[in-house]
Amino acid sequence: MEVQQFNYDNKIVKYFIMATLIWGAVALLVGLLIALQLAFPAFNFGFEYTTYGRTRPLHTNAVIFAFIGNAMFAGVYHSLQRVLKARLFNDVISKIHFWGWQIIIVLAALTLLSGFTTGKEYAELEWPIDILIALIWVAFGVNMIGTILTRRVKHIYASVWWYLATFLGIAVLHIVNSIELPVSILKSYPIYAGAQDAVVQWWYGHNAVAFFLTTPWLGLMYYYLPKASNRPIYSYQLSIVHFWTLIFLYMWSGPHHLLYQALPDWVQALGVTFSVMLIAPSWGGMINGLMTLRGAWDKVRDQAELKFMVVALTAYGMATFEGPMMSLKTVNSISHFTDWTIAHTHIAGMGWNGGMIFGMLYWLVPKLFRTPLYSKKLANTHFWLATLGILLFAIPLYWAGITQWLMLRQYNANGLLTYPSFLETTTQIMPMYHARILGGLLFFSGFLLFMYNMFKTVLAGNLVDNEAAEAPVLTDSSARKAGETFHRMMERKGVILVVAVLLALVVGGIVEIIPMMKIESNIPKIAAVTPYTPLELAGRDIYVSNGCYNCHSQQVRPLRWETDRYGEYSKIGEFVYDHPFQWGSRRTGPDLARAGWVGSSTYKTAIWHFNHFTKPKEINPQTIMPAYPWFTANTVDLTMIPVKIRAMQTLGVPYPKDYDQKAVADYKDQAEKIVAELKASGVDVAADKEIIAMIAYLHKLGKDISPANQK
Amino acid sequence: MANKINKTTENTSEENNHSDDFDGIKELHNPAPNWIILVFLATIGFSLLYAVRYFGFPDNKKDQASEYAQSSAEFDKTHSQLPQGGGSTATVSQEELITSGAQLFATKGCIACHGLKGEGNAVGPNLTDNFWLNGCSQENLIHMISEGKPEKGMTPFKTMLTQDEIKSLSVFILKKLVGSNPPNGKAPQGVECK
């Protein structure tokens, strides 16, 4: 049999490792900043570019796509070549992939801080960047599938199944969720509205967790854990069963982010049931990982990389049990909109993804650079700092979440809410926010030790850019052999595997999304609900641009303690003109769905909003709402109004024909009324300032269905 | 003990039946542990029951709107027996009313529109002068706190404060704030009351 000589591309792996280290520090630092901002509003620094509504998406995007993303590419590109015995498919594509991804990260940071956002969580990036992401992601996929097709190993190893699911899953999710209508170079509206947008967005949002933070990392676990521990994988059978069940079931579970919200009951029920069924498939990965280590626990004591992987698997097991529990409606009514969810995501992010990244790199970097790790002692210190950091971060937030929920639903002996002011609950949990900063600080200081250790190791070692390898040429007979299982045959046939994975992935999305789009009874209309006026639409864009949804929901759930606090619960028909929906996922401040309902507790007059935006501390001394003084200085670009109206018409919003011609005049009329109202209270603002549009938008929320509007 | 389990479950004879070399990684052919299969079956069973409950009977009143209506009706039933804050018969001294009123004034959002010392601001009127927009009597004041004037920015507090609390607020305002003459008092609005 002919033996072929070839090289592994180590240089690209090095690049992605370096990017991981640098972006990891940035992402964690921004995390620390937003933790400080929540406890001490002064850390918003008084600039619109550094205010929480913009820095929070920067943190989530940086952690997921920059830190975890680069680490994933490093791990995938290193292991893929070795389990397939082939160099990466194409060096040019590898370079395009690397540099393209870094450009995306820089563009993301710049645009998010500048207020260019779609307002959809974890998919905030605007349309030109979305297109770039799609192209670079396809480059990654071409490189992967090309390598699979040119491999020298007959069967495709388990890790690679997970990598394939990652590529295909994210490709489908990203493209479907990002279909949007551009109105300018950095502004677009999603084609979906309201409840439809919510279903698509959380189908994406939840599965970004699945296919960016879970599947690639399970694949990496299947390579790096047996390599680092030098133990065989415990169960090949289990790896098959939990792979297929996990990728099939995950895609259905997105609606668990929308329980008790304005969504048809059947979609919610699918979200609940499929989430619960995910427990065992998720735990399959943890079991296979931990059982692989049996008989090797003495190594875990000595090797920091294995310690991190054990913590990672444990955190994964906890988070994937907790997640399905949070998908039960009763539990969800507690965890949703509170810090419980934040604690949950950080157990998974810091514990599972962080643990896997640290574990992988503590093993990989010395191996790649052919030198021992600079300091085992530092690595152990890092381990303890990280583990303590996670606990100190998560426990206060669980505490805060439950405390806030208990307060929000508490009635006094007279049947009235004990804490009618939302702010009282925020003030109560403030000490927990301080403790959380400490947890973050521990985790970050551990990361700095890790960075130092990595750089020292890299400097002491020397990398072979192109590492020589040899393997016999692959000869494969296509026919299914006697006694060969179907799955075993599929492992030999890359194309069939790709198609099978794709099929398993798309079912859940199709069953949930298409009926939401096509069956009208799913979206019961409300006659009183009218499209946004041009001024309200402009205000909505400012609301999105400043990331208000990061702290304020627009969704009153059908729970008595919510309707007593805010008013009538939200209906599907209220949101049919909302491109994008802005329901939010965390209430750091009160819900705003009834901010335009005269007589509700959240209805405030124009002058109140003016004072509150410019000097929130004067209205509520304990508030953590940042000040937005620039709202009175920034001017709305009126030339964009007709463009936006036409875009909305294209998306099906029923403005009268040729309304774009009249829109600016209507804008000014409505604005002048608010200007006059403010003037009567002694405040002079020009009609084209952002604050006027913001006030108009807030006064639209819930107005259409309010009694005052029916008169 | 650990070794014993390993021996019984580890099927080493099959360890090498894969001819491939996955960079030195071997795969054992242990079956998946029974308990995790049971967990999987149990969650599928749960989901089927859940689905029957939510899809099986269209009129079983398990939809979100009906559940809210039911729970809300139950809530009203229990709470209609409560005194709704009115019936307190215990005699409370004026001093106590003022103390609790001051506390409520500081914590329930009054200062947002009427200032820290009741001096008024751009939103709400001055509460320290003797000019009133909505009548002179304590009853007028209690009515205003209770029912509010939402279109002018005064929130109705009857769903947030008990009638006793509203009363103590009114006492605090009339006995403590009126005539206190704080700095930066807002210009008088409404009619002067004697």
Side-chain angles (χ1 to χ4, degrees), chain A residues 151 156 476-479 489-497:
Chain A
R151 71 188 185 277
I156 298 168
D476 191 15
S477 56
S478 289
M489 181 196 73
M490 197 158 60
E491 289 168 36
R492 290 193 286 118
K493 299 188 176 300
V495 179
I496 296 180
L497 186 64

Side-chain angles (χ1 to χ4, degrees), chain A residues 396-412:
Chain A
L397 287 188
Y398 284 118
W399 191 301
I402 305 249
T403 303
Q404 192 167 35
W405 169 72
L406 285 171
M407 289 179 80
L408 287 170
R409 70 191 295 281
Q410 189 176 329
Y411 285 88
N412 61 25

Side-chain angles (χ1 to χ4, degrees), chain A residues 155 157 223 227 232-236 261 265-266 268 273 277 294 413-415 488 558 560 563 603 605 619, chain B residues 6 10 18 20 22-23 26 28 30 47 55 63-64 68 72 75-76 79 82 85 112 150 152-153 161-162:
Chain A
H155 292 97
Y157 178 59
Y223 178 81
K227 289 295 282 185
I233 287 293
Y234 174 72
S235 170
Y236 163 73
Q261 299 182 42
D265 288 283
W266 66 267
Q268 296 191 37
T273 49
M277 287 190 283
R294 85 214 181 298
N414 301 291
R488 202 73 189 134
R560 185 60 190 252
T563 54
Y603 176 82
T605 52
I619 293 210
Chain B
N6 288 346
E10 193 169 315
H18 287 185
D20 306 290
F22 297 131
D23 199 27
K26 298 271 182 284
L28 304 179
N30 291 303
S47 298
F55 300 114
D63 60 291
Q64 193 158 286
Y68 176 72
S72 212
F75 182 93
D76 287 335
H79 285 76
L82 293 174
K152 293 283 181 196
L161 301 176
T162 64

Side-chain angles (χ1 to χ4, degrees), chain A residues 524-540:
Chain A
K525 300 250 187 326
I526 301 174
V529 173
T530 54
Y532 294 99
T533 65
L535 183 66
E536 290 157 3
L537 187 61
R540 189 166 211 277

Side-chain angles (χ1 to χ4, degrees), chain A residues 640-656:
Chain A
M640 281 306 292
I641 300 292
V643 184
K644 287 178 175 177
I645 294 291
R646 286 194 294 272
M648 284 294 167
Q649 284 174 320
T650 309
L651 296 176
V653 178
Y655 291 107

Side-chain angles (χ1 to χ4, degrees), chain A residues 444-616:
Chain A
F444 182 63
S445 48
F447 187 86
L448 291 180
L449 293 185
F450 163 71
M451 257 180 115
Y452 177 74
N453 214 349
M454 288 290 114
F455 283 129
K456 277 294 199 183
T457 309
V458 166
L459 288 176
N462 71 88
L463 176 91
V464 180
D465 284 348
N466 296 297
E467 182 184 330
E470 58 175 39
V473 67
L474 180 63
T475 50
D476 191 15
S477 56
S478 289
R480 187 163 162 188
K481 298 179 184 78
E484 187 183 41
T485 63
F486 178 75
H487 200 273
R488 202 73 189 134
M489 181 196 73
M490 197 158 60
E491 289 168 36
R492 290 193 286 118
K493 299 188 176 300
V495 179
I496 296 180
L497 186 64
V498 170
V499 174
V501 169
L502 190 61
L503 285 176
L505 290 177
V506 295
V507 184
I510 290 173
V511 173
E512 286 172 3
I513 293 171
I514 291 182
M516 282 297 285
M517 302 296 164
K518 296 290 173 203
I519 300 174
E520 281 186 14
S521 63
N522 281 319
I523 313 291
K525 300 250 187 326
I526 301 174
V529 173
T530 54
Y532 294 99
T533 65
L535 183 66
E536 290 157 3
L537 187 61
R540 189 166 211 277
D541 287 343
I542 299 164
Y543 184 97
V544 169
S545 161
N546 284 283
C548 304
Y549 64 91
N550 286 290
C551 290
H552 294 282
S553 57
Q554 291 184 14
Q555 184 73 214
V556 182
R557 295 177 292 180
L559 303 167
R560 185 60 190 252
W561 47 277
E562 295 225 337
T563 54
D564 277 350
R565 179 177 301 277
Y566 300 113
E568 187 68 37
Y569 68 86
S570 297
K571 312 288 189 301
I572 296 173
E574 289 182 64
F575 304 99
V576 291
Y577 305 127
D578 285 12
H579 300 266
F581 82 114
Q582 288 288 283
W583 297 354
S585 63
R586 165 79 184 106
R587 286 181 188 144
T588 302
D591 184 272
L592 297 178
R594 301 292 171 244
W597 178 305
V598 178
S600 83
S601 65
T602 48
Y603 176 82
K604 308 287 176 188
T605 52
I607 182 65
W608 187 96
H609 281 302
F610 182 91
N611 287 347
H612 191 248
F613 278 131
T614 50
K615 292 168 192 156

Side-chain angles (χ1 to χ4, degrees), chain A residues 634-683:
Chain A
N634 292 356
T635 305
V636 175
D637 179 5
L638 293 187
T639 60
M640 281 306 292
I641 300 292
V643 184
K644 287 178 175 177
I645 294 291
R646 286 194 294 272
M648 284 294 167
Q649 284 174 320
T650 309
L651 296 176
V653 178
Y655 291 107
K657 196 167 174 287
D658 298 327
Y659 185 66
D660 57 321
Q661 320 270 330
K662 229 180 131 258
V664 175
D666 277 5
Y667 182 104
K668 289 178 178 162
D669 281 352
Q670 194 185 357
E672 285 303 340
K673 282 186 195 130
I674 297 173
V675 168
E677 202 183 329
L678 289 174
K679 203 174 174 69
S681 307
V683 172

